[in-house]
Amino acid sequence: MFETNTSKELLNAQQQTTFDSSSNFANSPISYGLEAKQENLIASSLSEIKEIDANKTDGFSSSFSSFSWSKLVFPKTSSDIGATAAEIIEANDLLDHDVYDRDQVTGDRNYTNYTSWWSRNTSANEKNGFDRTDSMSQAVDIGEIVYRSDANVDGRIGYGSRFFGGRDKNDYFNFSVGKAGTIELTLSGLSNDVGLALYSDLGSLLDWSDNSGTSNESIEKELNEGNYYARVYSYSSSPWSHGATCYDLNISRQADALETSWETMLTDSSLKNAALNSIKYDNELSRNDVIGILKSTGDYGNVTTTEFNNLQTFYNEAINTDLASEHVQVLAEKVLFDETSNQWYTGSDSEVETLGNLEANSSDDHMNLLIGKHFLGTDKPVASGTYQEAGGDLFKDGVSACDVDQGSVGTCYFLAALAGTANDKPTLINDMFTDNGDDTWTVRFETNGKTDYVTVDRDMATNDSGNYIYADDGDAGKQSVAGDNELWVALAEKAYAQVNESDRINQDGTNSYSGIGWGHSGIATTHVTGLDYSNEWLNESGISGVSFSEFIEIVNSDKVVTIRGFNSLATNSNAGETDISTAVQSHAYSVIGYGYHEETGDMRFDIRNPWGNKHLQLTFEQLLELDANIRYTNV
């Protein structure tokens, strides 16, 4: 039983230093010397595992103490951001989720573990059975050890029972290590000689300390992530000659090199706390870590000059390294530095307002809108209709050219590039998307030599009937946004409209669907795949163009092929897939195969219309009649 004694009782107990001279330590002969002591530490931990009384749970108390920091509170600065109150609330509410919280107060946990020499029960009498902490199986959990979060135990060891004899020989504590590193165990405040030992979760002795007299005991050990046991022990017989004493047990983790460098680099307390909390369990910076670090700087209404400077330094020294994935690096750079798309904020109401780059003394709302814009997909493209949350999943049964269905904006060039990539290089479509686990996806594009990323949520522009206005999942006719749809095409087109605002895709530089209307399928293919393309006309000779045999080779490879440039013979008729009049002039298609056509009995090229209907099956001669132009990736 672990009880709190009065000071008088404690004094009396401390004066009693002689107990039962017999020892059942390890139930084995005890010889003198360090090797014998170590053998008995190993043996005793294993033998006492079996001697448990698992039903006793009372008598152990704990408390939590933490550090705190003082900080000047700055008034919220005026800002020229034009976002609406609803847009500000949306961003703030999203960032209020626990997954982005890195502001946890970190501090020590304090426990007490007292025994009473006068107790009438057997809790302090190990010869009659074990109570809590008396054996490894009865160890009390004192939590997780990470940097800046120690476990402290105020305890007593070596006391016995007035009525039953014996002594409290062992106090076991279970703890976990959150991240591999140097763990220190220190036993101090001793008035008698006792020992300290460290065991693995399987009961193997890892290290021990048993200095003479009242010297502190200490163990320093490199430990991996996992569970461990600390053991405070007191044996009165030789070779130990231990006594009874109060003790202070501290278990801590030393700062590793990364933590030490951040302690020095960051001078703002709240930012430093959030950053160190982010690497509590691993030396990596996840998307959610970086979001939490960014938003921590607005905790008093604005981003102070110190915080702003610290953030930019932290980006250069930490985020823009192997600690963070590439898309996190790119998005964080947009938040913290000059970025063309930061000029404006549209939200979901299709009304464009001013925003601006982050600066020293920018408001917390300004910071949160930038985080929302780049990390959470809150800044949606200008659209007709209204935005509604879409049902469905990113992919269903893989990706296919058949997934593409163009909407009411002229993005055939982009959708043809998507369809061709889905057909010939489907892994590149999969790799475009990073699922953030919060109903947002980060989408990658290769824009004018820069790998760029934007984040989209699942809100889609809908008409009055609740159907898609723009691209959806492949069936001709617009699907219900609320239905169980395949989302990747709609998300990719939405992301393309958003990345347009960075003014690097040769469009008009606006965050809008109309801004990506009409474009170049070869350039769009490069944006999607990162691959260079060739732009050539079909001809019979192959001189200054692509011949029949060359075209077959290109199409039957895994190169992404789009076709366009049809002349006035293409009239958008309903004559059928094998008739050139069915083709659409100045429209982009993807070429997904070459094979035998049963109805005509000849070989034809399979040409996919991004409309989701009016596809073509044409011969090379028919394509020559249409003055067809092809764009294909070089690999």
Side-chain angles (χ1 to χ4, degrees), residues 410-619:
T411 55
C412 60
Y413 70 98
F414 175 70
L415 297 176
L418 284 183
T421 306
N423 183 75
D424 291 295
K425 298 183 184 294
T427 57
L428 292 183
I429 296 294
N430 285 277
D431 292 344
M432 281 180 67
F433 295 90
T434 299
D435 188 342
N436 296 319
D438 56 2
D439 280 336
T440 70
W441 293 264
T442 299
V443 188
R444 186 200 66 224
F445 296 103
E446 301 293 336
T447 59
N448 289 357
K450 176 182 172 63
T451 301
D452 206 350
Y453 294 88
V454 292
T455 303
V456 291
D457 63 14
R458 62 166 60 239
D459 289 353
M460 294 296 167
T462 65
N463 59 23
D464 291 341
S465 300
N467 296 330
Y468 280 90
I469 295 174
Y470 304 110
D472 63 357
D473 67 357
D475 293 328
K478 296 293 99 179
Q479 310 301 308
S480 168
V481 167
D484 186 17
N485 304 303
E486 186 169 24
L487 299 176
W488 74 267
V489 176
L491 292 173
E493 185 184 57
K494 182 183 179 185
Y496 203 56
Q498 288 180 205
V499 80
N500 182 35
E501 196 174 33
S502 292
D503 203 19
R504 288 190 291 269
I505 64 169
N506 302 98
Q507 297 297 122
D508 71 354
T510 65
N511 180 16
S512 66
Y513 280 99
S514 63
I516 57 172
W518 299 89
H520 192 289
S521 61
I523 294 174
T525 300
T526 296
H527 292 160
V528 171
T529 65
L531 302 173
D532 293 333
Y533 70 93
S534 295
N535 183 8
E536 300 189 82
W537 296 90
L538 300 181
N539 63 32
E540 291 183 350
S541 67
I543 299 173
S544 299
V546 173
S547 68
F548 178 37
S549 61
E550 290 171 334
F551 190 41
I552 292 174
E553 182 180 355
I554 291 169
V555 171
N556 285 341
S557 71
D558 63 352
K559 296 178 179 179
V560 179
V561 185
T562 61
I563 193 166
R564 57 161 298 279
F566 298 158
N567 57 29
S568 60
L569 296 176
T571 61
N572 192 21
S573 75
N574 294 314
E577 63 182 9
T578 61
D579 194 297
I580 61 175
S581 67
T582 303
V584 181
Q585 192 173 6
S586 300
H587 187 49
Y589 298 76
S590 56
V591 185
I592 64 173
Y594 177 72
Y596 181 74
H597 191 267
E598 291 187 4
E599 292 184 11
T600 59
D602 56 8
M603 300 291 286
R604 291 177 177 259
F605 292 94
D606 188 359
I607 301 171
R608 181 84 192 177
N609 190 335
W611 290 353
N613 59 14
K614 304 192 78 169
H615 308 297
L616 302 173
Q617 294 282 335
L618 301 179
T619 66

Side-chain angles (χ1 to χ4, degrees), residues 388-408:
Q388 177 182 328
E389 184 175 317
D393 301 307
L394 179 62
F395 300 120
K396 291 183 181 293
D397 301 320
V399 298
S400 164
C402 299
D403 296 337
V404 175
D405 179 20
Q406 187 176 344
S408 66

Side-chain angles (χ1 to χ4, degrees), residues 32-84:
Y32 291 89
L34 291 178
E35 290 184 3
K37 287 187 176 183
Q38 178 167 314
E39 290 173 0
N40 281 277
L41 283 172
I42 296 171
S44 64
S45 69
L46 296 176
S47 64
E48 289 168 353
I49 288 176
K50 301 176 183 179
E51 301 174 83
I52 63 172
D53 181 354
N55 296 320
K56 296 189 178 180
T57 59
D58 59 329
F60 196 88
S61 62
S62 67
S63 64
F64 180 85
S65 66
S66 62
F67 67 82
S68 61
W69 53 82
S70 60
K71 183 171 182 175
L72 293 176
V73 179
F74 293 89
K76 187 172 180 178
T77 60
S78 61
S79 174
D80 60 355
I81 61 174
T84 66

